[in-house]
């Protein structure tokens, strides 16, 4: 674009801006002319009443009007305040984590001072230097002096920014310290003094008054979108976009990406139980073990006596192979012996690997902990689990009775006495003869 065309384009932009300003001024003049303030009935009121009613109606017209709200970034201004508070909370958490090594109560005892220093640093690096807080900068907003007239607003003066920092940084610190002092005086074991109670009532009244004023100020902000907080309204500072060509469109790219990922994960969580991925995984692992065992069997001579082919066959019988595999990284005999020689446990075992409540597998008869073997068999859903000691497929287990000594039946000697009891006359002949023999022996 040539310089002539660029100058012509700038001239057209200025013309449109002057036209909009003229239309706005004419519309404002028409509203003032037709306003109820200039009604003859209001003008005929006595002196105190006509001024009060006129000022009140003027304030109502200002609140109801839409002048000076181009454009009204209400959502952006509120989000900027939330972002500033979130940034302050993150910095306070980081500082607290750094100070916890110097004392357990240091972070709580100096909480107000830490917030004061952080607010002062953020104010200096953001509003004082760049006329915008970090949250406002993220929302493409900056502070301007609303007292300036014209299409281009001027930046806040040094006095405005100084008062803003004094109220938002020093004022908050002083108020927090004052409330903390009152709470410490009222929360003791002794009854608070009358002076403390009166100061507490005054503090509660001031806090309630400030909350009510801030609430009405925020309601006015929702109407005209000019001053976000009560301090901004008192200092006549407002957040506006730095350029008239600022876009108010919100990018939903990140939100759409998150929605897609959430939908995809929910679909997987719904689909995987139906597919039975664990069953397929067990089938693949079983096929792999069979293939590896077939390869090993071809390299072994047929006359060689077959020994245990389990993964942890070298462990002693007192050790549970499942517990050992869960608590140790060494899986070969060489690694276990090396770990044992270095003093890190190993093949000797420990309290973590010893068998508790032994159960033996069927049909191989290897011994494991009851909880370990039951969890493994239940997880395989009846398809069998490969034993870590012998490599056989295990589907059942039973209590181990290897340490139970069964008592042999006592043999009865030939010289013992046999005593029988009978009721009535149905006594067998053999028992009657035996009774007579025993009676004769006793008599002799």
């Amino acid at each position: 674009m040539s310089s002539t065309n660029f100058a012509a384009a700038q001239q057209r932009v200025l013309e449109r801006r002057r036209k909009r300003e003229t239309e706005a001024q004419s519309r404002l003049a028409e509203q003032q002319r037709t306003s109820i303030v200039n009604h003859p009935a209001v003008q005929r009121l006595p002196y105190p009443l006509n001024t009060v009613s006129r000022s009140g109606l003027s304030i109502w017209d200002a609140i109801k009007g839409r002048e000076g709200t181009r454009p009204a970034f209400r959502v952006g201004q509120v989000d900027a305040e939330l972002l500033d508070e979130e940034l302050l909370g993150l910095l306070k958490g980081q500082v607290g984590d750094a100070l916890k090594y110097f004392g357990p109560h240091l972070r709580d005892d100096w909480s107000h001072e830490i917030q004061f220093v952080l607010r002062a640093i953020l104010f200096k690096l953001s509003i004082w230097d760049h006329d915008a807080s970090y949250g406002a900068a993220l929302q493409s907003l900056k502070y301007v002096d609303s007292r300036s007239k014209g299409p281009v607003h001027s930046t806040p003066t040094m006095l405005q920014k100084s008062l803003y920092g004094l109220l938002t940084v020093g004022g908050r610190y002083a108020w927090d310290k004052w409330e903390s002092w009152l709470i410490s005086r009222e929360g003791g074991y002794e009854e608070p003094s009358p002076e403390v109670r009166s100061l507490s009532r005054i503090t509660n009244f001031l806090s309630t008054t400030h909350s009510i004023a801030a609430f009405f100020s925020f309601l006015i902000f929702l109407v005209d979108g000019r001053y976000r907080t009560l301090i901004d309204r008192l200092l006549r500072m407002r957040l506006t976009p730095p350029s008239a060509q600022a876009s108010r469109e919100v990018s939903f790219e990140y939100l759409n990406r998150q929605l897609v990922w959430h939908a995809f994960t929910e679909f997987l969580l719904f689909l995987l139980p139906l597919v039975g991925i664990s069953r397929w995984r067990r089938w693949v692992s079983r096929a792999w073990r069979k293939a590896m065992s077939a390869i090993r069997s071809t390299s072994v001579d047929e006359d060689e006596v077959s020994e245990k082919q389990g993964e942890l066959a070298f462990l002693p019988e007192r050790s549970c192979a499942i517990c050992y595999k869960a608590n140790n990284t060494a899986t070969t005999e060489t690694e276990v012996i090396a770990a044992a020689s270095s003093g890190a446990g190993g093949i000797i075992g420990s309290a973590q690997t010893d068998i508790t409540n032994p159960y033996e597998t069927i049909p191989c008869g290897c011994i494991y902990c009851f909880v370990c073997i039951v969890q493994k068999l239940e997880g395989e859903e009846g398809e069998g689990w490969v034993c870590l000691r012998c490599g056989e497929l295990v589907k059942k287990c039973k209590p181990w009775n290897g340490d139970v000594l069964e008592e042999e039946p006592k043999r009865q000697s030939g010289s013992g006495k046999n005593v029988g009891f009978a009721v009535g006359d149905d006594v067998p002949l053999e028992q009657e003869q035996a009774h007579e023999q025993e009676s004769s022996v006793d008599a002799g």
Side-chain angles (χ1 to χ4, degrees):
M1 179 183 291
S2 62
S3 59
T4 306
N5 295 335
F6 182 73
Q10 282 188 329
Q11 188 66 26
R12 289 194 297 270
V13 170
L14 292 176
E15 287 293 334
R16 286 197 296 268
R17 185 175 297 177
R18 293 193 194 98
K19 185 178 180 180
R20 286 197 300 268
E21 290 180 358
T22 304
E23 292 177 354
Q25 291 177 359
S26 61
R27 186 167 59 253
L28 181 60
E30 181 65 22
Q31 289 179 359
Q32 291 179 355
R33 187 179 62 83
T34 59
S35 177
I36 194 174
V37 177
N38 299 322
H39 197 274
V42 177
Q43 300 292 335
R44 289 193 298 268
L45 291 174
Y47 166 69
L49 297 178
N50 60 2
T51 56
V52 173
S53 60
R54 187 178 303 172
S55 60
L57 293 173
S58 300
I59 294 173
W60 173 251
D61 290 340
I63 294 174
K64 188 176 64 175
R66 291 294 190 271
E67 296 300 327
T69 61
R70 49 179 182 85
F73 286 85
R74 299 173 181 84
V75 177
Q77 294 182 52
V78 176
D79 288 344
E81 185 178 9
L82 295 177
L83 290 173
D84 292 334
E85 294 297 330
E86 188 69 22
L87 177 61
L88 179 64
L90 291 175
L91 292 177
K92 183 182 176 182
Q94 295 290 335
V95 174
D97 293 339
L99 292 178
K100 68 181 180 181
Y101 299 103
F102 297 95
H105 303 290
L106 186 62
R107 178 175 56 182
D108 298 331
D109 295 340
W110 298 90
S111 176
H112 300 302
E113 284 73 15
I114 292 172
Q115 288 188 357
F116 172 73
V117 173
L118 292 177
R119 285 196 180 103
I121 294 174
L122 291 176
F123 173 76
K124 173 61 175 64
L125 297 178
S126 58
I127 296 178
W128 185 265
D129 294 341
H130 303 287
D131 300 328
S133 62
Y134 287 102
L138 291 174
Q139 297 293 328
S140 300
L141 299 172
K142 65 183 302 183
Y143 276 107
V144 297
D145 188 2
S146 62
R147 297 174 299 178
S148 60
K149 305 298 181 181
V152 180
H153 293 286
S154 61
T155 59
T157 61
M158 301 293 290
L159 179 60
Q160 285 179 315
K161 290 193 287 186
S162 301
L163 291 176
Y164 186 89
L166 182 63
L167 294 174
T168 57
V169 180
R172 286 188 179 182
Y173 171 72
W175 186 261
D176 291 340
K177 292 293 289 184
W178 173 255
E179 287 186 338
S180 178
W181 182 81
L182 285 178
I183 291 173
S184 64
R185 293 295 181 181
E186 292 180 342
Y189 293 102
E190 299 179 356
E191 185 71 19
S193 61
E195 292 80 5
V196 174
R197 288 198 295 268
S198 61
L199 289 175
S200 178
R201 286 194 296 269
I202 294 173
T203 302
N204 292 332
F205 174 75
L206 293 177
S207 178
T208 305
T209 305
H210 176 267
S211 300
I212 294 173
F215 173 71
F216 282 105
S217 176
F218 187 74
L219 291 180
I220 298 173
F221 165 75
L222 294 179
V223 175
D224 58 13
R226 302 186 96 186
Y227 303 106
R228 180 188 58 182
T229 61
L230 189 61
I231 297 176
D232 296 347
R233 189 174 299 277
L234 293 175
L235 299 178
R236 305 298 296 274
M237 295 171 57
R238 57 177 297 194
L239 287 171
T240 59
S243 174
Q245 305 297 328
S247 176
R248 301 186 62 180
E249 295 180 358
V250 180
S251 177
F252 293 100
E253 181 181 358
Y254 177 76
L255 180 60
N256 293 334
R257 192 183 302 117
Q258 290 295 321
L259 290 175
V260 170
W261 278 110
H262 280 294
F264 183 69
T265 53
E266 289 180 359
F267 175 72
L268 288 180
L269 292 175
F270 171 75
L271 185 63
L272 289 179
L274 299 179
V275 174
I277 190 66
S278 59
R279 187 177 293 106
W280 288 95
R281 179 179 56 82
R282 290 194 299 269
W283 181 82
V284 172
S285 61
R286 190 179 298 111
W288 173 258
R289 286 194 296 267
K290 288 181 179 179
M292 295 302 295
S293 61
I295 294 174
R296 293 194 190 96
S297 62
T298 55
S299 60
V300 179
D301 296 334
E302 296 180 356
D303 297 336
E304 186 178 356
V305 179
S306 61
E307 298 179 356
K308 290 186 176 182
Q309 300 294 328
E311 181 182 353
L312 300 176
F314 54 86
L315 291 177
E317 293 184 358
R318 62 172 292 183
S319 299
C320 176
I322 301 175
C323 295
Y324 184 87
K325 188 174 182 180
N327 294 289
N328 295 274
T329 57
T331 56
T332 62
E333 187 173 3
T334 306
E335 294 176 353
V336 172
I337 294 175
S341 61
S342 63
I347 198 168
I348 298 177
S350 61
Q352 296 180 350
T353 59
D354 289 345
I355 296 177
T356 304
N357 192 6
Y359 264 61
E360 61 176 329
T361 56
I362 300 175
C364 59
C366 298
I367 305 171
Y368 295 94
C369 298
F370 168 71
V371 177
C372 298
I373 189 62
V374 167
Q375 288 180 352
K376 291 294 182 181
L377 295 178
E378 185 179 4
E380 296 296 333
E381 298 179 358
E383 296 184 5
W385 171 72
V386 179
C387 180
L388 295 176
R389 290 183 174 274
C390 60
E392 293 188 10
L393 192 64
V394 177
K395 295 184 178 181
K396 297 180 180 180
C397 64
K398 65 178 182 178
W400 183 63
N401 58 357
D403 57 348
V404 178
L405 299 178
E406 297 181 358
E407 297 182 357
E408 296 181 357
K410 296 181 179 180
R411 298 179 180 179
Q412 299 178 355
S413 59
S415 60
K417 299 179 180 180
N418 295 328
V419 181
F421 296 94
V423 180
D425 299 334
D426 300 334
V427 180
L429 180 62
E430 293 81 8
Q431 292 185 8
E432 185 176 358
Q433 294 175 355
H435 182 66
E436 292 178 356
Q437 293 176 1
E438 291 176 0
S439 300
S440 63
V441 171
D442 294 338

